[in-house]
Amino acid sequence: MPAAISPTMERPSAQPTAPALAVSAAGTAASAAARTIIDIDHVDFFYGPSQALHDVSLKLDEKKVTAFIGPSGCGKSTLLRCLNRMNDLIDGTRVAKGSIKIRGVDIHGPQVDVIELRKRVGMVFQKSNPFPKSIYDNITYGLRLQGVKDKSRLDAVVEKSLRGAALWDEVKDRLHTSGLGLSGGQQQRLCIARAIAVEPDIILMDEPCSALDPISTSKVEELIHELKKQFTIVIVTHNMQQAARCSDQTAFFYLGRLVEFADTRTIFMNPANPQTEAYVSGRFG
Amino acid sequence: MAPPSIPPPTTAPAEAAPTSAAPAGFLANKSRFRLFGLTLDGCIKVFFGGNAVVAVVVLSLITIFLFKEGGGFTGQNRANLEIYRRAGLEFVDFMRTQVAGHTALTRELSELRLRQFNRLTQEQKLPPAEANAALATFDKFSDQFDDAVVPLRRLVSDLTETATAIKDKFAINENLSIARQQLLAEGKAAEAEKIAVKPVDFEAELKPLLAALPDYQKAAADEAAKIAAALAAAPALPSPELQARLEKLKSSARAYVNGFPEVEKTLRSWDHRQPVPAARAFAAFVFGREWITQSFWQDWYGILPLLVGSLLVSLAALCLAVPLGIGAAIYVNQLASPREQRLIKPGIEFIAAIPSVVLGFFGIAVLGETLRWLSQQSWLSWVPGFPYSERLNVLTAGCLLALIAVPTIFTLAEDALNNVPRAFKEASFALGASRLQTILKIIVPASLSGIISAVLLGLGRVVGETMVVLLCAGNRIALPDFTAGLSVLTQPVHTMTGIIAQEMGEVPHASIHYRALFMVGLVLFFLSLLINWLAQKIVRRYRIAIG
Amino acid sequence: MDAPPENHFRSRPGAIRAWENVLHWLFRGATYLVLLCGGLVFGQIVWRGAQTVFTTRAPFVNVAFFTEAPESLHVFEYQGQKQELGDRAFNAFKVAHPDAKDVKDESYVYSAGGIFPCIVGTVLLVAGSMAIALFLGVSSAIYLNEYAHDSALVRFIRLAILNLAGVPSIVFGLFGFGMFVIFFGWNVSLIAGWFTLAFMVLPVVITASEESLKAVPKGFREGSLALGATKWQTIRQNVLPYALPGILTSSILGIARVAGETAPIMFTAAYVVRDKLPWEGLTKASDFFFQGVMALPYHIYVVSSKIPQNEYTARVQYGTAFVFLLLVALIASASIVLRSRLRNRYKW
C-alpha cells in the first residue's frame, strides 16, 4: 500500500515533466546530503477556473533557506501559501492534482488537522501585521492559544524569541507597549519573533522585506541567516540580490510553472535555462 | 478555458509512509471535542450560521403570517357580498344609485346658483336680498328639479328598512347557529337543541322588496316627467360661461333620465340566488372604490382609496424631497468646502433621527395651521388649491414626509456620487470643463442609476411611513377628486399605513375587517418589496456600467 | 516696441458663467433649506417644550413632569380665581373646600402630571430589543463575514437582509401582532414588543456589524491563523475586540430608530395608559415580560391625536415631544461623535 506512491526521496529525476525540471533534479542532487522536509509533487492549483500552478514538483531540504523567485503573478506566493494551507481561506481554491508532503505526510490528507499544521509551519507576511496588542501579548499569542499559562515560561519564550529575532535590545524596556508603535522593520521582526515563538519546523516568508527600507531589510536578512540554524525557511522575494544573499537554493517560477530549481549559486552564475538567465540578469520581469 | 475537473488528490494513507525525518506533528492526533460529529469550531460555525438564517426566517414568517391572517379575507368577503345580494341590499342599491345620480346634478345646480349669486353681489353690487330676488326664476327651476326625485327617495328609504331587517334576521341566525355549534362542540347537546335556528327564507322575505318594482316604475316615470318639465322651463343665465355650464348640466340630466330603462332592466333581471364568484370578492378588494366599515347597511373593503391616498402623499413628498435631496447631495459631495461638509452631513443625519411621531405632532400643532394660514393669504391665491380649509391634508403630510425622505435620498445619492471614479472627473477638468459642467455632464450621468435607486428607496421609506400620515393626512377615506387638478393636493386622504394603525387595535380578531387590514398589510409589504427590488436591480446594472 | 503679451487665460464672463453661479446657489440653497426645515422643527419643539420641562425657580427642572404618571387636568373657576389642578390635587381640593363640590370644571385627559411611566417603558423596550438585535445581528454578521463562502444560501441571506430593511415598520407591527400577540398568545406585552422591534432593527445591526468586521485588517486573521489558532480563537481574540467599538457605535443608530418607532409597538407592546409601573404588582417573575407598558412615542401619538389642541394640553404635548426628541437626539449625536473619535483612534 505505501508502495503505491513511491517514497519521496527516491523519485527519479526523469519524470515526464517540463524539460526544465531536469536541471532541478541536478540541483537537488548537489545537496543530496541534506534531508528533504517538504516534497511538492506534481501540484496543479486553481483559483476558481484559472490555474495558478502547473505541475510543480520540488523538494526542499531541512534547515536550508529556499528562495522562490519570479515575476509577479508567477505563482510563487501561491505555492508558499499552499505549504501551510493558507489558501484554504480563499474561496474556490483547490489543489487539483499532486500532493504536498511535509515530513512524508500529505498535508491535504484527511488525517491532517490544519490547525496543527499551521503550528508547525509558521508564516511571516508581506505586510507586517502585528496585532494591536502589546509586544509581549503578540509573541505569547501562539503559546497562549496552546494553553500555556505559566508566566515564567512565557517570559522566557518572549525573551528567547525576541533575541532570536534580533529585537530584544530594542524593545526590552517596552514589552508592554503596543506592537503598532514599532517602526516598519521592527514590526516585521516582531512578526518573525511571533512566528518562532511557537517553535515551528518551517517558517514561510512571503516577501518579508518588500515594505522595508534597506537598513531594515539587511537586518531581516541577517536574521534569516541566524534562523537557518534552527528552522527550515522558505522565502518568496522578487528582489534577486536578496535571494542571492540569503538563500541556499533557489527556485525560479514563470507563468505558474517551475522553470528551474538549483543551488542559488548555480541559478545566479550558471543557469541552465535561458529564461532563468534572462530573468536573473534583469532582462525581463 | 474550462478548468479540468480533477478531483482532489487521492491521498495515500500518509501515516503509514516511511518517513525519513522526525514524525510529522500535525496529524490530527489530538482527540478534539466533538458533538454530532462536529468539532467545537464546527459547532460555533453552525451556531453563527443559524443566527444568520434568522433574517431569512423572519422574512418568511412575515410573509406567512400576513397570508395566514389575511388569507381568509376573500372567503369572508364573498360571504359578505353574498348576504348583500341574498338580503336584497344590492337590489335597493340599484335604485339608490339612481337617487345619488340626481343628488350629484342638484349639487351642480346649487353650485351654479352660488356662482350667479356671487356675480350679482360682487360685480353688480346688488344687496343680497335683491340678488336673491333676481334669482327667483332660477330657484323655481331648481326646486322643480329637486322635487323630481322625492317619490323615488321615499321608496328607497322604505326598501332600505325592509332589506336591513332581512339582513339583521340573517345575522341573528348566524350568531345563534355559531352559539349552537359551540355548545355542540362542548358536548352540551341538550342545550344546543334548545337553540332553535330557523333558516331565513330569503325567497319569502324578499317578496315585499320585489313587489316594489311597479312602485319603482311609477316613481321613475314620475321623476323623468318632472325633470323633463323642469328642464323645459329652465331659465337662461346671463353670463355665457354659466350658461354653458347650465347647458352641460341639462344634457347630463337628459342622459341621466335616459339611463332609467337600463336600471329597470337590471332590477328586473336581478336574482338573489345568483352566486358571488370568489374572483368578484377579491376584485371587490383590489378595485373597490370604497372602504366603509361598521356601517348599518353594507361594509365595503376596497383598497383603492387607501392605495391612491398613499401614492398621492408619497408623490407629493417626493416632488419636494427629490430636488432637495439630490441638490444637497451634489452640493455636499462636489461643491462644498470640507468645513461645510463636516457641518452639513451630521446635520442631515440629525434630521434622519427625528422620530416620525414627533414630526407628525409638529404637523398637527404647527405646520398644518401655518400652511392653512398661508393658503388664505390673498397674495398666494394664485396657487392651485389655495385657499383651503382642511388643516390636515396631502400637502401637510407631504411636506413632513419630504423631510423624512430627504436624508435617505441625500445619503444614498451622495454615496452614488462618491463612487464615480476620480478619473472621470479629472479627465473632464483636463478638457477645460468647469466644475458644474463636469458635475452635470459627467458625474451625475455616471451615477444616475445610483441616484435613481436612492429616489426609489426614498419612496419606499415614505410609502411605509405610518405616524406622519396617520396624524397629518386628514384621514378621510375617499378617492381624491382628481378632476380638481393640482388642488387635489389640498384634500384630506387616508393611507394604507394609516388605516392599519388606526383600525387594527379596535377590530375583533379573525373578523372580516381584521383580515381586510392584513390584506392591506400584504399589499404594503409587496409594494415595498417591489420598490426594493427595483432599486437593487438598477444599482446592479449601474455597477456593470461602471465596470 | 514690445506690447505686453496677450493674456490667453483671462477669465471670460458670459452666460455660462452666470448660469454656473445660479446653479451653485441653487444647490447650496437646497442644502440649507433642508437644514433650516430640520432646525425649525427642532427649534419649535425645543422652545415650547423647554417651557414645560424647565422652570424659573430652583431646581429649574420640572421634577414632577419626570417623576409622575399622567393625570387629567381640571380647569375650573373658584371664588373668582382660575384653578388648574391634576386629578389627585382636584380631589383633595374638593375635600378641603366642600363648597367646591359642584364647581363646573373642564377636564383634559393626560394633561397634568408627568410622563415617568412612558420614559420607563421606552427604556425597557429599547434595552430589551437592542439586546436581542445585537445578539442576533452580531452573530449573523460574524457568520456572513468570517465563515460564509459565496454560496446560494449566503446570497439568499443577504437578499433577505436587504429586503427586510425595506419592510415598512407598520408591517412589522402587523406581523408582531399576528405572531407574538395572537399566535403565541403573549398578548400586548414587553416581550412581543422586544421581538418585533428587534426584528425590525436587525438589518441595521447586521449591516453595521459587517462593516465593522470588514474594517479589521485581513492581516490580523491571517497572522493569527498562521500561528495555529482555530477560527473561533482568531475571531474571539483578534477580530471581535477590534470590531466591537465600531459595532456598538453604529448600532446606536439602530437604537435611535428603535426608540423612535411607534407603529410596531402600537399593537404589540404599548398601552395608552397603565396605572402600574412595570415592576409593581408582579405575582411571578415571568409576569414582567408579559405586561404592556406605556411608551414615549405612543404617548405623543395619543396626546397629539386624541385630545384637543389648546393652551392646557399644549404643555404636555410639547413637553413629551421635547423629552423624546432630546432622548433620541442624544443617542444619535453620541453615535456621531463616537464614530468620528473611533475613526481617528483606530488606524492600522
Side-chain angles (χ1 to χ4, degrees), chain B residues 12-302:
Chain B
E15 73 274 31
T19 53
S20 54
F26 45 82
L27 294 176
N29 48 4
K30 280 190 186 171
S31 61
R32 283 176 182 275
F33 167 82
R34 269 169 198 278
L35 189 71
F36 304 119
L38 288 168
T39 59
L40 180 60
D41 240 34
C43 292
I44 291 169
K45 178 177 173 178
V46 167
F47 167 75
F48 285 139
N51 281 317
V53 173
V54 166
V56 179
V57 172
V58 169
L59 199 65
S60 19
L61 276 179
I62 291 178
T63 322
I64 290 168
F65 268 88
L66 288 180
F67 271 111
K68 174 175 167 283
E69 299 294 317
F73 172 77
T74 310
Q76 285 188 357
N77 200 26
R78 191 174 164 194
N80 175 31
L81 292 177
E82 215 145 57
I83 183 65
Y84 173 67
R85 179 166 288 172
R86 297 272 178 284
L89 274 68
E90 190 180 39
F91 185 77
V92 182
D93 267 349
F94 289 135
M95 295 182 205
R96 196 192 302 279
T97 317
Q98 189 177 332
V99 174
H102 184 270
T103 313
L105 290 170
T106 324
R107 206 179 299 128
E108 172 70 11
L109 211 54
S110 51
E111 168 82 17
L112 272 178
R113 185 189 189 276
L114 184 69
R115 287 291 174 93
Q116 176 65 6
F117 181 79
N118 284 348
R119 229 183 121 243
L120 289 175
T121 50
Q122 283 166 14
E123 288 176 23
Q124 305 180 5
K125 308 286 180 209
L126 287 180
E130 273 182 49
N132 274 334
L135 280 166
T137 43
F138 189 87
D139 283 348
K140 202 173 147 236
F141 155 66
S142 162
D143 286 347
Q144 232 179 341
F145 193 90
D146 257 3
D147 289 344
V149 83
V150 170
L152 184 62
R153 188 175 283 147
R154 200 169 296 138
L155 178 65
V156 167
S157 147
D158 290 346
L159 293 183
T160 298
E161 268 167 40
T162 319
T164 317
I166 303 175
K167 193 181 170 188
D168 285 349
K169 212 180 235 175
F170 178 77
I172 292 168
N173 257 355
E174 280 290 282
N175 287 342
L176 284 178
S177 64
I178 288 171
R180 197 179 146 181
Q181 263 157 18
Q182 264 173 359
L183 286 176
L184 279 177
E186 288 165 20
K188 297 173 187 161
E191 286 172 54
E193 283 315 308
K194 274 188 217 152
I195 299 177
V197 181
K198 210 166 76 217
V200 180
D201 180 5
F202 287 113
E203 196 87 31
E205 299 278 354
L206 279 173
K207 278 220 172 92
L209 219 57
L210 293 169
L213 202 57
D215 293 343
Y216 165 76
Q217 279 166 319
K218 219 173 119 247
D222 190 30
E223 188 189 357
K226 276 187 182 162
I227 288 179
L231 288 180
L237 288 171
S239 98
E241 184 216 338
L242 292 184
Q243 183 60 32
R245 276 182 76 167
L246 185 64
E247 289 304 323
K248 209 175 138 209
L249 179 78
K250 278 187 193 167
S251 72
S252 44
R254 282 190 201 102
Y256 164 70
V257 172
N258 289 340
F260 289 1
E262 194 58 37
V263 177
E264 197 186 323
K265 217 176 106 194
T266 325
L267 287 173
R268 273 187 196 290
S269 62
W270 180 78
D271 181 3
H272 74 281
R273 281 156 309 193
Q274 222 169 34
V276 178
R280 167 111 195 273
F282 186 71
F285 172 75
V286 179
F287 303 111
R289 300 160 67 91
E290 280 176 296
W291 180 280
I292 298 173
T293 54
Q294 287 158 356
S295 143
F296 83 98
W297 178 249
Q298 170 66 17
D299 288 355
W300 295 102
Y301 302 95

Side-chain angles (χ1 to χ4, degrees), chain B residues 329 333 345 408-420 447 450-451 454 542:
Chain B
N333 191 268
K345 275 192 178 180
T408 310
I409 295 178
F410 169 83
T411 316
L412 295 168
E414 215 238 314
D415 273 355
L417 291 171
N418 229 0
N419 283 340
V420 177
S447 54
I451 292 178
Y542 151 80

Side-chain angles (χ1 to χ4, degrees), chain A residues 81 91 115 118 129 131 141 145, chain C residues 149 219 222 224-225 228-229 238:
Chain A
R81 290 170 67 94
D91 278 343
I115 305 299
R118 292 190 189 134
N129 57 352
F131 306 135
Y141 182 81
L145 290 178
Chain C
H149 304 275
E222 290 191 333
S224 173
L225 288 171
N238 245 340

Side-chain angles (χ1 to χ4, degrees), chain C residues 183-206:
Chain C
F183 188 70
F184 288 179
W186 289 351
N187 291 325
V188 173
S189 60
L190 259 184
I191 189 165
W194 281 348
F195 278 100
T196 309
L197 287 173
F199 288 158
M200 186 193 72
V201 82
L202 195 58
V204 178
V205 176
I206 293 179

Side-chain angles (χ1 to χ4, degrees), chain C residues 3 13 21 28 40 82 116 188 197 206 235 246 265 285 301 322:
Chain C
N21 275 332
R28 187 172 212 170
L40 269 180
K82 203 168 175 191
F116 181 60
V188 173
L197 287 173
I206 293 179
I235 293 168
I265 56 169
Y301 164 66
F322 172 61

Side-chain angles (χ1 to χ4, degrees), chain A residues 6 10-22 25 41-42 55 57 59:
Chain A
S6 57
E10 293 79 23
R11 185 179 292 283
S13 54
Q15 283 292 329
T17 55
L21 273 180
D41 185 20
H42 296 280
D55 197 31
S57 294
K59 290 187 179 67

Side-chain angles (χ1 to χ4, degrees), chain A residues 81 86 89 91 115 118-119 123 125 129-133 141 145 194-195, chain C residues 149-150 219-220 222-230 233-234 237-238 242:
Chain A
R81 290 170 67 94
M86 284 306 270
L89 304 179
D91 278 343
I115 305 299
R118 292 190 189 134
K119 283 181 189 164
M123 188 162 190
F125 296 84
N129 57 352
F131 306 135
K133 305 172 188 283
Y141 182 81
L145 290 178
R194 190 174 67 188
Chain C
H149 304 275
D150 189 36
F220 290 9
E222 290 191 333
S224 173
L225 288 171
L227 288 170
T230 63
Q233 283 170 328
T234 302
Q237 302 196 3
N238 245 340
Y242 310 121

